[in-house]
mmCIF file of all heavy atoms in Angstrom:
data_model
loop_
_atom_site.group_PDB
_atom_site.id
_atom_site.type_symbol
_atom_site.label_atom_id
_atom_site.label_comp_id
_atom_site.label_asym_id
_atom_site.label_seq_id
_atom_site.Cartn_x
_atom_site.Cartn_y
_atom_site.Cartn_z
ATOM 1 N N ARG N 1 -0.823 17.803 22.274
ATOM 2 C CA ARG N 1 -0.202 16.695 21.549
ATOM 3 C C ARG N 1 -1.287 15.949 20.776
ATOM 4 O O ARG N 1 -2.456 16.317 20.819
ATOM 5 C CB ARG N 1 0.500 15.738 22.524
ATOM 6 C CG ARG N 1 1.554 16.381 23.415
ATOM 7 C CD ARG N 1 2.698 16.963 22.628
ATOM 8 N NE ARG N 1 3.434 15.962 21.881
ATOM 9 C CZ ARG N 1 4.482 15.297 22.355
ATOM 10 N NH1 ARG N 1 4.918 15.538 23.577
ATOM 11 N NH2 ARG N 1 5.115 14.413 21.605
ATOM 12 N N THR N 2 -0.905 14.898 20.077
ATOM 13 C CA THR N 2 -1.891 14.052 19.402
ATOM 14 C C THR N 2 -1.805 12.636 19.966
ATOM 15 O O THR N 2 -0.726 12.160 20.335
ATOM 16 C CB THR N 2 -1.656 14.007 17.877
ATOM 17 O OG1 THR N 2 -0.356 13.494 17.615
ATOM 18 C CG2 THR N 2 -1.791 15.400 17.280
ATOM 19 N N LYS N 3 -2.962 11.949 20.041
ATOM 20 C CA LYS N 3 -3.016 10.596 20.600
ATOM 21 C C LYS N 3 -2.306 9.610 19.691
ATOM 22 O O LYS N 3 -1.698 8.649 20.155
ATOM 23 C CB LYS N 3 -4.474 10.168 20.809
ATOM 24 C CG LYS N 3 -5.191 10.906 21.933
ATOM 25 C CD LYS N 3 -6.636 10.434 22.075
ATOM 26 C CE LYS N 3 -6.704 9.006 22.596
ATOM 27 N NZ LYS N 3 -8.102 8.598 22.874
ATOM 28 N N THR N 4 -2.426 9.809 18.405
ATOM 29 C CA THR N 4 -1.739 8.980 17.417
ATOM 30 C C THR N 4 -0.886 9.895 16.544
ATOM 31 O O THR N 4 -0.960 11.123 16.668
ATOM 32 C CB THR N 4 -2.745 8.214 16.546
ATOM 33 O OG1 THR N 4 -3.655 9.150 15.944
ATOM 34 C CG2 THR N 4 -3.536 7.202 17.375
ATOM 35 N N ASN N 5 -0.098 9.290 15.670
ATOM 36 C CA ASN N 5 0.759 10.116 14.807
ATOM 37 C C ASN N 5 0.764 9.582 13.380
ATOM 38 O O ASN N 5 1.816 9.372 12.776
ATOM 39 C CB ASN N 5 2.183 10.175 15.373
ATOM 40 C CG ASN N 5 3.049 11.207 14.648
ATOM 41 O OD1 ASN N 5 2.544 12.093 13.953
ATOM 42 N ND2 ASN N 5 4.359 11.088 14.779
ATOM 43 N N ASN N 6 -0.417 9.384 12.819
ATOM 44 C CA ASN N 6 -0.510 8.986 11.420
ATOM 45 C C ASN N 6 -0.009 10.091 10.493
ATOM 46 O O ASN N 6 0.390 9.833 9.358
ATOM 47 C CB ASN N 6 -1.954 8.620 11.068
ATOM 48 C CG ASN N 6 -2.385 7.318 11.727
ATOM 49 O OD1 ASN N 6 -1.639 6.352 11.749
ATOM 50 N ND2 ASN N 6 -3.586 7.309 12.292
ATOM 51 N N SER N 7 -0.031 11.328 10.995
ATOM 52 C CA SER N 7 0.413 12.472 10.190
ATOM 53 C C SER N 7 1.926 12.536 10.041
ATOM 54 O O SER N 7 2.438 13.355 9.259
ATOM 55 C CB SER N 7 -0.081 13.785 10.815
ATOM 56 O OG SER N 7 -1.490 13.813 10.885
ATOM 57 N N GLY N 8 2.640 11.711 10.793
ATOM 58 C CA GLY N 8 4.102 11.738 10.705
ATOM 59 C C GLY N 8 4.695 13.042 11.184
ATOM 60 O O GLY N 8 5.747 13.470 10.710
ATOM 61 N N GLY N 9 4.037 13.684 12.153
ATOM 62 C CA GLY N 9 4.571 14.910 12.733
ATOM 63 C C GLY N 9 4.386 16.145 11.889
ATOM 64 O O GLY N 9 4.934 17.205 12.217
ATOM 65 N N ILE N 10 3.619 16.032 10.799
ATOM 66 C CA ILE N 10 3.457 17.163 9.873
ATOM 67 C C ILE N 10 1.985 17.278 9.480
ATOM 68 O O ILE N 10 1.384 16.307 9.024
ATOM 69 C CB ILE N 10 4.312 16.972 8.599
ATOM 70 C CG1 ILE N 10 5.792 16.765 8.960
ATOM 71 C CG2 ILE N 10 4.156 18.164 7.664
ATOM 72 C CD1 ILE N 10 6.644 16.296 7.792
ATOM 73 N N GLN N 11 1.423 18.459 9.635
ATOM 74 C CA GLN N 11 0.034 18.707 9.228
ATOM 75 C C GLN N 11 -0.023 20.034 8.488
ATOM 76 O O GLN N 11 0.504 21.041 8.968
ATOM 77 C CB GLN N 11 -0.899 18.713 10.447
ATOM 78 C CG GLN N 11 -1.002 17.332 11.095
ATOM 79 C CD GLN N 11 -1.675 17.354 12.453
ATOM 80 O OE1 GLN N 11 -1.566 18.313 13.206
ATOM 81 N NE2 GLN N 11 -2.379 16.267 12.775
ATOM 82 N N GLY N 12 -0.634 20.030 7.318
ATOM 83 C CA GLY N 12 -0.669 21.234 6.503
ATOM 84 C C GLY N 12 0.694 21.683 6.040
ATOM 85 O O GLY N 12 0.903 22.859 5.737
ATOM 86 N N GLY N 13 1.641 20.729 5.974
ATOM 87 C CA GLY N 13 3.000 21.051 5.559
ATOM 88 C C GLY N 13 3.866 21.617 6.665
ATOM 89 O O GLY N 13 5.016 21.981 6.422
ATOM 90 N N ILE N 14 3.327 21.681 7.901
ATOM 91 C CA ILE N 14 4.007 22.317 9.030
ATOM 92 C C ILE N 14 4.130 21.321 10.182
ATOM 93 O O ILE N 14 3.182 20.579 10.473
ATOM 94 C CB ILE N 14 3.227 23.567 9.492
ATOM 95 C CG1 ILE N 14 3.126 24.576 8.329
ATOM 96 C CG2 ILE N 14 3.885 24.219 10.697
ATOM 97 C CD1 ILE N 14 2.184 25.732 8.605
ATOM 98 N N SER N 15 5.289 21.283 10.833
ATOM 99 C CA SER N 15 5.501 20.344 11.937
ATOM 100 C C SER N 15 4.567 20.666 13.098
ATOM 101 O O SER N 15 4.287 21.825 13.392
ATOM 102 C CB SER N 15 6.958 20.386 12.404
ATOM 103 O OG SER N 15 7.299 21.680 12.884
ATOM 104 N N ASN N 16 4.077 19.592 13.762
ATOM 105 C CA ASN N 16 3.127 19.780 14.871
ATOM 106 C C ASN N 16 3.714 19.405 16.224
ATOM 107 O O ASN N 16 3.006 19.365 17.225
ATOM 108 C CB ASN N 16 1.843 18.988 14.611
ATOM 109 C CG ASN N 16 2.057 17.475 14.609
ATOM 110 O OD1 ASN N 16 3.165 16.992 14.858
ATOM 111 N ND2 ASN N 16 1.005 16.728 14.308
ATOM 112 N N GLY N 17 5.005 19.104 16.283
ATOM 113 C CA GLY N 17 5.652 18.791 17.550
ATOM 114 C C GLY N 17 5.807 17.312 17.824
ATOM 115 O O GLY N 17 6.522 16.933 18.752
ATOM 116 N N GLU N 18 5.167 16.461 17.029
ATOM 117 C CA GLU N 18 5.344 15.015 17.179
ATOM 118 C C GLU N 18 6.570 14.572 16.375
ATOM 119 O O GLU N 18 7.148 15.338 15.600
ATOM 120 C CB GLU N 18 4.093 14.283 16.685
ATOM 121 C CG GLU N 18 2.800 14.677 17.380
ATOM 122 C CD GLU N 18 2.777 14.311 18.860
ATOM 123 O OE1 GLU N 18 3.467 13.344 19.257
ATOM 124 O OE2 GLU N 18 2.064 14.999 19.630
ATOM 125 N N ASP N 19 6.964 13.312 16.559
ATOM 126 C CA ASP N 19 8.086 12.781 15.795
ATOM 127 C C ASP N 19 7.788 12.853 14.300
ATOM 128 O O ASP N 19 6.683 12.512 13.861
ATOM 129 C CB ASP N 19 8.345 11.319 16.155
ATOM 130 C CG ASP N 19 8.834 11.124 17.582
ATOM 131 O OD1 ASP N 19 9.267 12.119 18.200
ATOM 132 O OD2 ASP N 19 8.782 9.977 18.068
ATOM 133 N N VAL N 20 8.766 13.278 13.532
ATOM 134 C CA VAL N 20 8.677 13.195 12.073
ATOM 135 C C VAL N 20 9.307 11.872 11.666
ATOM 136 O O VAL N 20 10.476 11.619 11.960
ATOM 137 C CB VAL N 20 9.421 14.368 11.398
ATOM 138 C CG1 VAL N 20 9.466 14.172 9.885
ATOM 139 C CG2 VAL N 20 8.742 15.694 11.752
ATOM 140 N N TYR N 21 8.521 11.001 11.036
ATOM 141 C CA TYR N 21 9.070 9.715 10.611
ATOM 142 C C TYR N 21 8.657 9.414 9.181
ATOM 143 O O TYR N 21 7.613 9.852 8.708
ATOM 144 C CB TYR N 21 8.660 8.587 11.566
ATOM 145 C CG TYR N 21 7.199 8.223 11.559
ATOM 146 C CD1 TYR N 21 6.722 7.148 10.799
ATOM 147 C CD2 TYR N 21 6.274 8.928 12.336
ATOM 148 C CE1 TYR N 21 5.382 6.803 10.799
ATOM 149 C CE2 TYR N 21 4.938 8.593 12.341
ATOM 150 C CZ TYR N 21 4.493 7.518 11.574
ATOM 151 O OH TYR N 21 3.154 7.192 11.573
ATOM 152 N N PHE N 22 9.514 8.655 8.484
ATOM 153 C CA PHE N 22 9.319 8.442 7.053
ATOM 154 C C PHE N 22 10.076 7.194 6.614
ATOM 155 O O PHE N 22 10.974 6.704 7.302
ATOM 156 C CB PHE N 22 9.817 9.658 6.263
ATOM 157 C CG PHE N 22 11.228 10.060 6.582
ATOM 158 C CD1 PHE N 22 12.310 9.493 5.917
ATOM 159 C CD2 PHE N 22 11.489 11.007 7.581
ATOM 160 C CE1 PHE N 22 13.604 9.859 6.222
ATOM 161 C CE2 PHE N 22 12.794 11.366 7.900
ATOM 162 C CZ PHE N 22 13.854 10.789 7.208
ATOM 163 N N ASN N 23 9.699 6.683 5.441
ATOM 164 C CA ASN N 23 10.378 5.543 4.814
ATOM 165 C C ASN N 23 10.970 5.960 3.481
ATOM 166 O O ASN N 23 10.359 6.740 2.738
ATOM 167 C CB ASN N 23 9.407 4.384 4.581
ATOM 168 C CG ASN N 23 8.978 3.712 5.868
ATOM 169 O OD1 ASN N 23 9.713 3.715 6.854
ATOM 170 N ND2 ASN N 23 7.797 3.119 5.869
ATOM 171 N N VAL N 24 12.145 5.412 3.176
ATOM 172 C CA VAL N 24 12.818 5.675 1.911
ATOM 173 C C VAL N 24 13.117 4.338 1.249
ATOM 174 O O VAL N 24 13.771 3.476 1.842
ATOM 175 C CB VAL N 24 14.134 6.458 2.124
ATOM 176 C CG1 VAL N 24 14.737 6.861 0.788
ATOM 177 C CG2 VAL N 24 13.903 7.685 3.004
ATOM 178 N N ALA N 25 12.601 4.146 0.024
ATOM 179 C CA ALA N 25 12.782 2.884 -0.693
ATOM 180 C C ALA N 25 14.000 2.964 -1.616
ATOM 181 O O ALA N 25 14.124 3.905 -2.404
ATOM 182 C CB ALA N 25 11.530 2.563 -1.503
ATOM 183 N N PHE N 26 14.875 1.975 -1.516
ATOM 184 C CA PHE N 26 16.075 1.893 -2.351
ATOM 185 C C PHE N 26 15.958 0.690 -3.283
ATOM 186 O O PHE N 26 15.632 -0.411 -2.853
ATOM 187 C CB PHE N 26 17.327 1.728 -1.494
ATOM 188 C CG PHE N 26 17.756 2.974 -0.781
ATOM 189 C CD1 PHE N 26 17.123 3.387 0.389
ATOM 190 C CD2 PHE N 26 18.803 3.746 -1.269
ATOM 191 C CE1 PHE N 26 17.518 4.538 1.047
ATOM 192 C CE2 PHE N 26 19.211 4.888 -0.613
ATOM 193 C CZ PHE N 26 18.567 5.301 0.539
ATOM 194 N N LYS N 27 16.249 0.907 -4.551
ATOM 195 C CA LYS N 27 16.230 -0.190 -5.516
ATOM 196 C C LYS N 27 17.474 -1.071 -5.338
ATOM 197 O O LYS N 27 18.461 -0.648 -4.710
ATOM 198 C CB LYS N 27 16.195 0.357 -6.942
ATOM 199 C CG LYS N 27 17.506 1.012 -7.380
ATOM 200 C CD LYS N 27 17.469 1.409 -8.841
ATOM 201 C CE LYS N 27 18.814 2.000 -9.280
ATOM 202 N NZ LYS N 27 18.833 2.336 -10.708
ATOM 203 N N PRO N 28 17.446 -2.284 -5.886
ATOM 204 C CA PRO N 28 18.700 -3.043 -5.990
ATOM 205 C C PRO N 28 19.638 -2.254 -6.901
ATOM 206 O O PRO N 28 19.235 -1.846 -7.989
ATOM 207 C CB PRO N 28 18.272 -4.356 -6.659
ATOM 208 C CG PRO N 28 16.792 -4.416 -6.515
ATOM 209 C CD PRO N 28 16.305 -3.000 -6.465
ATOM 210 N N ILE N 29 20.859 -1.986 -6.452
ATOM 211 C CA ILE N 29 21.740 -1.138 -7.253
ATOM 212 C C ILE N 29 22.044 -1.805 -8.589
ATOM 213 O O ILE N 29 22.012 -3.023 -8.722
ATOM 214 C CB ILE N 29 23.032 -0.775 -6.503
ATOM 215 C CG1 ILE N 29 23.807 -2.014 -6.073
ATOM 216 C CG2 ILE N 29 22.718 0.098 -5.315
ATOM 217 C CD1 ILE N 29 25.127 -1.688 -5.427
ATOM 218 N N ALA N 30 22.346 -0.982 -9.575
ATOM 219 C CA ALA N 30 22.335 -1.427 -10.968
ATOM 220 C C ALA N 30 23.585 -2.179 -11.403
ATOM 221 O O ALA N 30 23.549 -2.911 -12.392
ATOM 222 C CB ALA N 30 22.120 -0.225 -11.880
ATOM 223 N N THR N 31 24.701 -2.011 -10.701
ATOM 224 C CA THR N 31 25.932 -2.662 -11.131
ATOM 225 C C THR N 31 25.943 -4.117 -10.689
ATOM 226 O O THR N 31 25.989 -4.417 -9.496
ATOM 227 C CB THR N 31 27.160 -1.943 -10.562
ATOM 228 O OG1 THR N 31 27.177 -0.596 -11.031
ATOM 229 C CG2 THR N 31 28.436 -2.643 -11.012
ATOM 230 N N LEU N 32 25.896 -5.020 -11.661
ATOM 231 C CA LEU N 32 25.959 -6.456 -11.409
ATOM 232 C C LEU N 32 27.257 -7.002 -11.981
ATOM 233 O O LEU N 32 27.622 -6.687 -13.114
ATOM 234 C CB LEU N 32 24.786 -7.173 -12.072
ATOM 235 C CG LEU N 32 23.380 -6.626 -11.833
ATOM 236 C CD1 LEU N 32 22.365 -7.503 -12.565
ATOM 237 C CD2 LEU N 32 23.065 -6.560 -10.355
ATOM 238 N N LEU N 33 27.954 -7.828 -11.231
ATOM 239 C CA LEU N 33 29.198 -8.432 -11.717
ATOM 240 C C LEU N 33 28.877 -9.729 -12.443
ATOM 241 O O LEU N 33 29.333 -10.814 -12.082
ATOM 242 C CB LEU N 33 30.167 -8.646 -10.550
ATOM 243 C CG LEU N 33 30.569 -7.383 -9.790
ATOM 244 C CD1 LEU N 33 31.571 -7.703 -8.699
ATOM 245 C CD2 LEU N 33 31.134 -6.328 -10.742
ATOM 246 N N LYS N 34 28.033 -9.591 -13.463
ATOM 247 C CA LYS N 34 27.661 -10.734 -14.291
ATOM 248 C C LYS N 34 27.296 -10.218 -15.685
ATOM 249 O O LYS N 34 27.094 -9.019 -15.881
ATOM 250 C CB LYS N 34 26.490 -11.497 -13.686
ATOM 251 C CG LYS N 34 25.224 -10.658 -13.485
ATOM 252 C CD LYS N 34 24.013 -11.491 -13.122
ATOM 253 C CE LYS N 34 24.202 -12.349 -11.917
ATOM 254 N NZ LYS N 34 22.981 -13.093 -11.556
ATOM 255 N N GLU N 35 27.193 -11.116 -16.625
ATOM 256 C CA GLU N 35 26.897 -10.715 -17.990
ATOM 257 C C GLU N 35 25.505 -10.100 -18.112
ATOM 258 O O GLU N 35 24.550 -10.587 -17.512
ATOM 259 C CB GLU N 35 26.994 -11.919 -18.935
ATOM 260 C CG GLU N 35 28.416 -12.342 -19.235
ATOM 261 C CD GLU N 35 28.483 -13.338 -20.386
ATOM 262 O OE1 GLU N 35 27.404 -13.763 -20.868
ATOM 263 O OE2 GLU N 35 29.603 -13.675 -20.797
ATOM 264 N N GLN N 36 25.442 -8.987 -18.882
ATOM 265 C CA GLN N 36 24.169 -8.344 -19.183
ATOM 266 C C GLN N 36 24.192 -7.861 -20.632
ATOM 267 O O GLN N 36 25.251 -7.575 -21.182
ATOM 268 C CB GLN N 36 23.948 -7.136 -18.264
ATOM 269 C CG GLN N 36 23.760 -7.476 -16.804
ATOM 270 C CD GLN N 36 23.478 -6.228 -16.003
ATOM 271 O OE1 GLN N 36 22.353 -5.770 -15.889
ATOM 272 N NE2 GLN N 36 24.531 -5.653 -15.443
ATOM 273 N N GLN N 37 23.005 -7.744 -21.205
ATOM 274 C CA GLN N 37 22.866 -7.231 -22.562
ATOM 275 C C GLN N 37 22.679 -5.720 -22.526
ATOM 276 O O GLN N 37 21.995 -5.192 -21.642
ATOM 277 C CB GLN N 37 21.668 -7.879 -23.259
ATOM 278 C CG GLN N 37 21.756 -9.392 -23.367
ATOM 279 C CD GLN N 37 22.982 -9.859 -24.124
ATOM 280 O OE1 GLN N 37 23.233 -9.383 -25.238
ATOM 281 N NE2 GLN N 37 23.747 -10.775 -23.544
ATOM 282 N N THR N 38 23.284 -5.006 -23.475
ATOM 283 C CA THR N 38 23.106 -3.562 -23.555
ATOM 284 C C THR N 38 23.486 -3.096 -24.968
ATOM 285 O O THR N 38 23.626 -3.906 -25.884
ATOM 286 C CB THR N 38 23.925 -2.836 -22.481
ATOM 287 O OG1 THR N 38 23.563 -1.450 -22.470
ATOM 288 C CG2 THR N 38 25.419 -2.989 -22.720
ATOM 289 N N VAL N 39 23.670 -1.786 -25.126
ATOM 290 C CA VAL N 39 24.134 -1.230 -26.400
ATOM 291 C C VAL N 39 25.266 -0.246 -26.125
ATOM 292 O O VAL N 39 25.421 0.244 -24.996
ATOM 293 C CB VAL N 39 22.999 -0.504 -27.167
ATOM 294 C CG1 VAL N 39 21.873 -1.460 -27.516
ATOM 295 C CG2 VAL N 39 22.468 0.678 -26.354
ATOM 296 N N ASP N 40 26.050 0.044 -27.160
ATOM 297 C CA ASP N 40 27.109 1.038 -27.028
ATOM 298 C C ASP N 40 26.689 2.344 -27.697
ATOM 299 O O ASP N 40 25.561 2.458 -28.197
ATOM 300 C CB ASP N 40 28.438 0.525 -27.580
ATOM 301 C CG ASP N 40 28.383 0.210 -29.077
ATOM 302 O OD1 ASP N 40 27.478 0.726 -29.769
ATOM 303 O OD2 ASP N 40 29.254 -0.544 -29.550
#
C-alpha cells in the first residue's frame, strides 16, 4: 500500500489499489431569468 495518496490511486496511468478520488468544477449555469444583452 502507500502511506499517503497524493497520486489519487493512479500512478503511471494505472490504478495502484488506493482510493481513486477527484474534483469536478461546475460553472454557474448559463440560463439566468433576468435581462441580458446578446445578438440574434
Side-chain angles (χ1 to χ4, degrees):
R1 303 298 297 270
T2 59
K3 290 180 69 174
T4 55
N5 190 17
N6 290 317
S7 300
I10 304 168
Q11 293 168 328
I14 300 170
S15 61
N16 66 3
E18 302 295 333
D19 293 344
V20 173
Y21 68 97
F22 53 87
N23 290 332
V24 187
F26 286 79
K27 71 174 183 177
I29 58 176
T31 299
L32 310 181
L33 300 182
K34 58 170 56 177
E35 285 192 355
Q36 293 183 85
Q37 300 301 309
T38 189
V39 298
D40 62 20

